[in-house]
Amino acid sequence: MRAVTFQAPGEVRIEEKADPELLAADDALVRVEASGICGSDLHIYHGRVPVEPGFTIGHEFVGTVLAAGDDVERVAAGDRVLGCFHTACATCAACLRSDYHRCERGRTFGHGSHLGDLQGAQAEQLLVPRANLTLRRVPEGMTDEVALFAGDVMGTGYHAIAHAGMRVGDTVAVLGLGPVGLCAVQAAVASGATKVFAIDSVPARLAMAESFGATPLHLTEEEPKRAVRGATEGRGVDVVVDAVGDPGPLAMAVSLVRDAGTISGIGAYAGKGEAPLGLAWLKGVTVRLGLANVIAHVDRVLGLIEAGKLDPSPLVSHRMKLDEAAEAYELYDNREALKIVLTP
Amino acid sequence: MRAVTFQAPGEVRIEEKADPELLAADDALVRVEASGICGSDLHIYHGRVPVEPGFTIGHEFVGTVLAAGDDVERVAAGDRVLGCFHTACATCAACLRSDYHRCERGRTFGHGSHLGDLQGAQAEQLLVPRANLTLRRVPEGMTDEVALFAGDVMGTGYHAIAHAGMRVGDTVAVLGLGPVGLCAVQAAVASGATKVFAIDSVPARLAMAESFGATPLHLTEEEPKRAVRGATEGRGVDVVVDAVGDPGPLAMAVSLVRDAGTISGIGAYAGKGEAPLGLAWLKGVTVRLGLANVIAHVDRVLGLIEAGKLDPSPLVSHRMKLDEAAEAYELYDNREALKIVLTP
Amino acid sequence: MRAVTFQAPGEVRIEEKADPELLAADDALVRVEASGICGSDLHIYHGRVPVEPGFTIGHEFVGTVLAAGDDVERVAAGDRVLGCFHTACATCAACLRSDYHRCERGRTFGHGSHLGDLQGAQAEQLLVPRANLTLRRVPEGMTDEVALFAGDVMGTGYHAIAHAGMRVGDTVAVLGLGPVGLCAVQAAVASGATKVFAIDSVPARLAMAESFGATPLHLTEEEPKRAVRGATEGRGVDVVVDAVGDPGPLAMAVSLVRDAGTISGIGAYAGKGEAPLGLAWLKGVTVRLGLANVIAHVDRVLGLIEAGKLDPSPLVSHRMKLDEAAEAYELYDNREALKIVLTP
Amino acid sequence: MRAVTFQAPGEVRIEEKADPELLAADDALVRVEASGICGSDLHIYHGRVPVEPGFTIGHEFVGTVLAAGDDVERVAAGDRVLGCFHTACATCAACLRSDYHRCERGRTFGHGSHLGDLQGAQAEQLLVPRANLTLRRVPEGMTDEVALFAGDVMGTGYHAIAHAGMRVGDTVAVLGLGPVGLCAVQAAVASGATKVFAIDSVPARLAMAESFGATPLHLTEEEPKRAVRGATEGRGVDVVVDAVGDPGPLAMAVSLVRDAGTISGIGAYAGKGEAPLGLAWLKGVTVRLGLANVIAHVDRVLGLIEAGKLDPSPLVSHRMKLDEAAEAYELYDNREALKIVLTP
């Protein structure tokens, strides 16, 4: 089969590889019919996340089950399925707390040996361990490129909102309108937010957020803090999503959130950084950090997409062929694409 | 001033009474500009809830603050306000748990001496104790007859959903499509329910629920249990609202709810009744009963109305004058009206 | 191997059976070193719960893993383990909500074909499916007869308290001081209850509850309602555990609980029953029913036993041999024993 | 009356002042019978928190109600009462969320004009606004110096644990064993923690924590991270309380907490600080910051003290007279005292 492999920073290549085979009783084998290129893939592409040369990358996928082990109970050969971006064992201490994203035996697709040595999804076929948790049937009538979002980007946007404990009637601000931020905007609206402020400096992204029901605020041309305060009787919003992940946005998040409000840090932070600890303490803020728990959310996300309350389709900016992967990565790296879907 | 008073079962009368006066530092005096007739008023009208002859009835109101005591901080003379249907002290053990509806010093408007001896709102003027908790400013642009719902019927529909712990993505069934049931349908949709089944036997109410986004199910002509199971992979819904309050609907609620799901009993039960305890136990059901905690919800409800996520206006079927109260009660008693709004 | 089998109402018998064998990749084979006789076993013994003649009964066990399938990750051959009373798949919709007790593919040990056709634990060996969830390692230093409680009776007492949402500082009443009620008393004390009222009519059980830190109240010789009100400023307790499961105790529970408090119905109800719906509604009570979710609690329960905060050992009244099973069941049926532990 | 007043950094003085008088309907006048010197008082003493010269300081008190306004319902003249360290209005948006510590009209005793201009409690008499929320009756049999803790230091230790969402069976680490840290240790034990690690570098404080049930760990002579990991199968603890409030302890907290665990930052942070954002993000940590919500906790804390589950009495190291205030502050500033109680 053909597969997109990492070679060196800035270089991915299509290679011919042996078809994967079932190894464990709860494995499934999937023929990949659509895969996505994600912001996390750029970390690999840039060499910031180390992956062995020749390793197949990609972690968003939709396809058809070709074969399933004896213990696979939730899907069967022939089923059209979507995948979550990582696996979880379902029975370790973390999984028993429903923290599937912190599974003690979890593995991430397409991230090399340091994240579980699990070949990636930008390929014609994929071996899916722990298929009962990792896969879900695609609801009837849902397109591949919409289903693709449920186990990664939309699951992450949804997590940003749910993990913050957002309640119907809350006000929300989302910092950073990449795919995750835009999905967070949708999740906030679907969850009954009365006001959603969407903050970025790219006009097209602001316009898209507005079309999802948000109030767009230009990061530098407007004064987000003043606008948010003005619309909330000076209090700030109940929930701020930081979908960027740098100390700058974190400081802005602290300034926008109300007293005793919650900041949901879904954008990845790295290393150490200066944080406005004093102000956060005075306001009595809660900060919830970390990767999304998509396995915990995926059924709910699919239900909301089916019900028309979430709709990732406007985010798909490019549809390309697996063989065009090198070109696709270059395009994505140049920020010319919001979401690229690859088909075989 | 003129006031609608209870006289005897089946008889209400407009009487001339002295204008009320401020008594405590946190009292406010309100000129009532709209009041509602509610299902609870019928209990009084029928004599099931004992009220002294000559007592002013009514507990839903919108108006303008005429005067306020020294300790009234949240509203001021001249403010357009709406009221909650009862008062709460804010500082007893129940209020400190946010159970304002179980306040140990709570009083209900227009329910006679046994519920706090507080004259009612179907009058030209109203004395409002504990004004900081009981009153809210009407948001700009909101009509009287919409604001009227926030402190009673819509607050109750919202409570039915919130008290059940409904989460975005849940499925819901609402039994009984009177004003409270219809508001519960709206609250479920606003809170991100993916499916809301609305069950009643009155075609017009089913049609209204459908217009709010629900799937209507006729109680006797369709088979609600079969329909609900069919649409939920045989599991039943996450949340059932019983907006009726008899053993029959409770039994149906147990049959419709999924394993480990929640029944929210907002309709008032009376006395003892036969309940399907065995089935409820097998399914591991949670049943949450009781009156709505509208003071806890009213700001959120107003925010959702302002944001266009809740809209009680279609429920107003009749607009009448205070002087027509006798006729209005008769009409309401004959079930010819969904909601009657009285103006001076 | 020898096994205790159900034959007919009132008759159990030791039979020689073939040793069980591993069937699935997540099965384990356990040499049973201690098993318990439980109140649920009496339902089988009395013929109220139908079980095929010759079926091995029992669902509480401690032992040593003899063999484990390839997918068993949490325990290994040679490990000393305890079991939960039922299995769960970990990946169905109920398990993903952590409702392991409502698992769509769950099976209960020793309850015949209608609860999953899984042979029981009162035997020399036991086949344990879904071993990753069903089994736990016995912490070092914990005796067999203490560990035995974690996956059934103590897990159930703990559930009664946890499922009620009891918080540190709450007041609690427990109705019925069988093994589950007594464990609920311990769980309430361990969870920081400030007052625990223990209600029964058997002096020895009242005395044991008192030794666990509860205030004993004789059901008929004292007036529980008056005593509870007197000790709670007239309010009633935050949480009532009904460890009996009849309409009578449920009515008492409603009378003892405070406004907006919670009743945890852990005792099994059957069929339909008269319930004080009106009073429960007026008080705004929450009722949480059903079987215990021991898989969700077992690690926490083991930790609390290890820390000395829970201690089921006083409940063991009899230690007998597997071969004495017939005599043991008779004794238990005559209510002469609180807990009987069987060893090979 | 005599009162302890701030004069200049390092200088407090007893002054004669006019007795306070009731101003509002919900004011109470209290004869102070015991007051405490707290860590926050040192911020004033050092001039870090600006207070007007001549302002009466102190915010922990127990005494007797001398007079009460018409709207004071929870206490009456003659009642022995304790106070919370700040007032709250009970009805603003923050109070309605039970965030009394973030009350929009809240005032703190003895902190000068910038925190509400409310004279302090280290005096013979005290004016207490919002008495229904600020005061509680001292339970019968509780000594002054124990009751003194409920509305400030013990309420803060309790908050550190409760705000973290600690559940029975959790493991906890407490960084910093000043009075608040020691109270947090007690609150964790009372709440059912199975292991509490108490970390500091003062042997006497470590010994006291051990006497409360904790495992003491010397900050520099032992390796807290290694010890905590070793005792938690390498995972870290469920909850870390940072009772210090500097970037150093915060970094240690991140290293001690388990994946997806919670850090409760009760020690005050100031300004900006370097935080290990990357590691906190990878672990998926929740950080909850800010001042304690003692009004929300005080009844529960009093109940736990009454039940013998919390006991602050070992923390009282010095009992002195109001007239010795200057000496007492010097002693406290030299870290020779853990807790000083002043009596008239």
Side-chain angles (χ1 to χ4, degrees), chain D residues 68-252:
Chain D
D70 284 350
D71 291 352
V72 176
E73 299 164 299
R74 292 196 60 156
V75 297
D79 282 353
R80 213 171 132 240
V81 295
L82 66 119
C84 295
F85 72 86
H86 71 93
T87 71
C89 75
T91 64
C92 71
C95 286
L96 280 170
R97 287 191 315 258
S98 299
D99 288 332
Y100 301 108
H101 58 320
R102 305 306 315 147
C103 173
E104 298 176 359
R105 291 186 277 270
R107 306 165 71 189
T108 302
F109 290 101
H111 274 70
S113 61
H114 82 297
L115 280 180
D117 203 15
L118 195 54
Q119 297 292 326
Q122 293 165 3
E124 288 179 293
Q125 288 187 25
L126 183 68
L127 177 68
V128 181
R130 316 274 186 191
N132 289 313
L133 267 196
T134 312
L135 298 179
R136 290 295 184 284
R137 282 202 203 93
V138 178
E140 231 172 299
M142 193 177 289
T143 65
D144 282 3
E145 66 185 42
V146 161
L148 195 65
F149 280 81
D152 190 25
V153 180
M154 184 56 91
T156 299
Y158 178 91
H159 176 88
I161 295 300
H163 198 230
M166 198 214 101
R167 294 172 54 199
V168 56
D170 275 353
T171 52
V172 176
V174 177
L175 307 186
L177 300 176
V180 166
L182 286 166
C183 286
V185 166
Q186 284 199 1
V189 171
S191 303
T194 49
K195 291 192 185 100
V196 181
F197 301 96
I199 302 170
D200 202 305
S201 55
V202 179
R205 294 179 173 199
L206 288 163
M208 189 173 289
E210 190 172 18
S211 77
F212 295 162
T215 301
L217 293 174
H218 194 286
L219 181 64
T220 52
E221 295 173 11
E222 295 175 276
E223 289 179 57
K225 183 174 161 183
R226 199 165 141 183
V228 167
R229 294 279 173 100
T232 54
E233 303 180 59
R235 293 189 178 112
V237 289
D238 299 300
V239 168
V240 182
V241 171
D242 172 8
V244 182
D246 285 326
L250 179 59
M252 172 169 277

Side-chain angles (χ1 to χ4, degrees), chain B residues 65-80:
Chain B
V65 176
L66 295 175
D70 285 350
D71 291 353
V72 176
E73 299 165 299
R74 294 195 60 157
V75 298
D79 282 353
R80 210 171 134 240

Side-chain angles (χ1 to χ4, degrees), chain A residues 171-249:
Chain A
T171 51
V172 177
V174 177
L175 308 187
L177 301 176
V180 166
L182 287 166
C183 286
V185 167
Q186 285 200 358
V189 171
S191 302
T194 49
K195 292 194 185 98
V196 181
F197 301 95
I199 303 169
D200 201 304
S201 55
V202 179
R205 294 180 173 196
L206 288 163
M208 190 175 288
E210 189 172 17
S211 77
F212 296 164
T215 302
L217 293 173
H218 193 285
L219 180 63
T220 52
E221 296 173 10
E222 296 174 274
E223 289 180 59
K225 184 174 160 184
R226 199 165 141 183
V228 166
R229 294 278 174 102
T232 55
E233 303 179 60
R235 295 192 176 108
V237 289
D238 299 300
V239 168
V240 182
V241 172
D242 171 8
V244 181
D246 285 324

Side-chain angles (χ1 to χ4, degrees), chain A residues 260-311:
Chain A
T262 301
I263 295 170
S264 182
I266 194 70
Y269 298 95
K272 297 183 180 185
E274 200 182 61
L277 295 173
L279 182 57
W281 195 88
L282 279 177
K283 296 179 85 165
V285 165
T286 295
V287 185
R288 310 206 70 184
L289 300 174
L291 205 69
N293 188 359
V294 293
I295 290 176
H297 305 313
V298 64
D299 293 305
R300 221 163 262 274
V301 167
L302 286 168
L304 288 162
I305 296 176
E306 252 194 303
K309 300 218 167 194
L310 297 175
D311 177 14

